[in-house]
């Protein structure tokens, strides 16, 4: 199966979806993907007297967007569903076995910060399919990609996909691992040389990192591999900002049993 055989694009005509459509077109062109254009109406619209009017309007709007893909030789389908937006997106993604949900946040930046809309946050938390979340100001084609890894299966899948996207778009790939040192929060009666112990653990972590990377083919990709210290969530955000990263690949779950049931704590932050 192709990496991105089917791309689901949930649209919201109340927000600017042009960037979402442009990026979907770029991805689909490179991977010969089929694009599924989805619009979800509230449940009451299905039985409303204006259903036919809404359907005609949406069909026209989706045809206009579809014409953009048609010009590029991209196959697409139009889907109109009724119900809860989040539920319908997940249902369509599962029913059509899509490889990617390309979602637009729809929230403007405020005072230098970027908030995530409720639907976008739910998708990231609950979707069994990969979610590519488009932020305001995103490039049409990613040129700098970051993939933090913690040696878990989820981070291995993330890095595998990151390498393919980086190779396809000739993007620079940054692969980092953040070592979190032990803190002096144990009893004073425990005589622990924290500096010595952290030095030992960091060396072991570096060996794990090197071994982890042997499973990936990085040939032909302009890449940087770095190990760093600190609190993982803070270090990743700082690194992404410093390197002006366009696209962040992260596994949705961590290494612990509990985190396999929930969104990984580092990914969530």
């Amino acid at each position: 199966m192709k990496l991105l055989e089917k791309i689901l694009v949930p649209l919201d005509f109340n927000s600017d979806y042009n960037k979402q459509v442009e990026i979907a077109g770029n991805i689909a062109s490179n991977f010969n993907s089929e694009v599924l254009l989805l619009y979800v109406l509230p449940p009451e619209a299905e039985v409303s007297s204006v259903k036919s009017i809404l359907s005609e309007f949406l069909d026209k709007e989706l045809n206009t967007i579809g014409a953009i893909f048609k010009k590029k030789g991209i196959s697409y389908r139009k889907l109109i569903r009724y119900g809860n937006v989040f539920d319908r997106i997940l249902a369509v993604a599962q029913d059509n076995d899509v490889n990617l949900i390309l979602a637009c946040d729809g929230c403007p930046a405020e005072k230098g910060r970027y908030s995530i809309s409720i639907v976008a946050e739910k998708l990231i938390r609950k979707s069994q399919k990969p979610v590519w979340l488009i932020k305001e100001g995103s490039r049409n084609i990613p040129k700098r990609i970051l993939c933090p890894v913690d040696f878990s299966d989820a981070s291995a899948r993330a890095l595998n996909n990151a390498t393919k996207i980086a190779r396809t778009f000739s993007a620079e790939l940054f692969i980092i691992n953040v070592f979190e040192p032990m803190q002096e929060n144990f009893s004073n009666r425990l005589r622990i040389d924290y500096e010595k112990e952290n030095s030992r653990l960091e060396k072991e972590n570096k060996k794990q990192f090197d071994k982890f990377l042997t499973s990936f083919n990085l040939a032909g990709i302009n890449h940087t591999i770095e190990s760093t210290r600190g609190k993982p969530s803070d270090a990743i955000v700082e690194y992404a900002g410093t390197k002006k990263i366009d696209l962040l690949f992260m596994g949705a779950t961590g290494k612990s049993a509990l985190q396999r049931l929930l969104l990984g704590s580092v990914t969530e932050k």
Side-chain angles (χ1 to χ4, degrees):
M1 178 181 289
K2 293 179 293 185
L3 174 63
L4 295 174
E5 185 173 9
K6 297 178 184 177
I7 302 173
L8 177 60
V9 182
L11 296 165
D12 179 2
F13 294 148
N14 291 318
S15 61
D16 185 1
Y17 54 81
N18 290 321
K19 181 70 66 176
Q20 189 180 8
V21 171
E22 289 175 12
I23 293 177
N26 287 330
I27 298 173
S29 294
N30 280 278
F31 290 96
N32 194 28
S33 314
E34 179 185 22
V35 175
L36 279 63
L37 299 173
L38 171 65
Y39 196 90
V40 181
L41 286 165
E44 57 269 20
E46 189 170 15
V47 295
S48 171
S49 58
V50 297
K51 178 181 178 180
S52 60
I53 299 175
L54 285 172
S55 297
E56 184 179 350
F57 167 77
L58 290 176
D59 191 58
K60 182 179 179 180
E61 291 293 312
L62 293 174
N63 280 336
T64 300
I65 297 171
I68 298 172
F69 296 118
K70 192 173 182 179
K71 285 182 180 179
K72 296 182 178 182
I74 299 169
S75 175
Y76 76 94
R77 279 189 279 154
K78 301 174 295 179
L79 302 172
I80 298 175
R81 296 290 186 269
Y82 298 86
N84 176 273
V85 175
F86 168 69
D87 292 338
R88 294 287 75 76
I89 292 174
L90 290 190
V92 169
Q94 288 297 127
D95 293 344
N96 291 274
D97 194 23
V98 304
N99 306 103
L100 177 69
I101 300 174
L102 187 65
C104 189
D105 193 316
C107 284
E110 295 181 2
K111 298 181 181 179
R113 297 179 64 88
Y114 196 89
S115 58
I116 298 179
S117 69
I118 294 174
V119 172
E121 182 179 4
K122 283 185 176 180
L123 285 174
I124 294 172
R125 286 176 176 272
K126 301 294 184 180
S127 175
Q128 296 300 309
K129 303 293 184 179
V131 177
W132 183 324
L133 183 63
I134 300 170
K135 294 176 59 174
E136 185 179 0
S138 297
R139 290 179 188 263
N140 291 355
I141 296 176
K143 289 300 180 185
R144 299 169 76 83
I145 296 173
L146 172 61
C147 185
V149 298
D150 61 4
F151 321 138
S152 65
D153 291 342
S155 71
R157 290 192 295 272
L159 181 54
N160 183 53
N161 288 332
T163 58
K164 292 176 181 177
I165 294 295
R167 184 173 282 112
T168 297
F169 292 110
S170 299
E172 186 174 4
L173 176 62
F174 298 84
I175 306 169
I176 66 169
N177 171 255
V178 183
F179 170 72
E180 187 170 13
M182 290 176 60
Q183 301 297 317
E184 297 185 26
N185 54 5
F186 295 104
S187 171
N188 293 330
R189 290 179 293 178
L190 294 175
R191 296 180 180 177
I192 299 175
D193 185 335
Y194 285 94
E195 184 175 348
K196 182 178 180 180
E197 186 63 15
N198 279 323
S199 178
R200 182 187 68 80
L201 291 173
E202 192 167 16
K203 288 179 181 178
E204 289 184 1
N205 191 75
K206 182 62 169 62
K207 289 180 181 178
Q208 278 188 283
F209 192 17
D210 292 339
K211 182 179 179 181
F212 177 82
L213 292 174
T214 59
S215 301
F216 301 92
N217 177 18
L218 299 174
I221 299 175
N222 180 13
H223 66 277
T224 298
I225 297 171
E226 289 190 45
S227 298
T228 185
R229 269 192 181 208
K231 185 177 180 181
S233 56
D234 293 341
I236 292 168
V237 170
E238 182 179 357
Y239 192 93
T242 301
K243 299 295 184 179
K244 302 186 185 303
I245 297 299
D246 298 314
L247 185 61
L248 172 65
F249 272 85
M250 291 190 72
T253 55
K255 293 185 288 186
S256 72
L258 176 61
Q259 286 176 332
R260 293 192 186 100
L261 302 176
L262 304 171
L263 185 70
S265 59
V266 174
T267 306
E268 180 178 11
K269 290 176 181 177

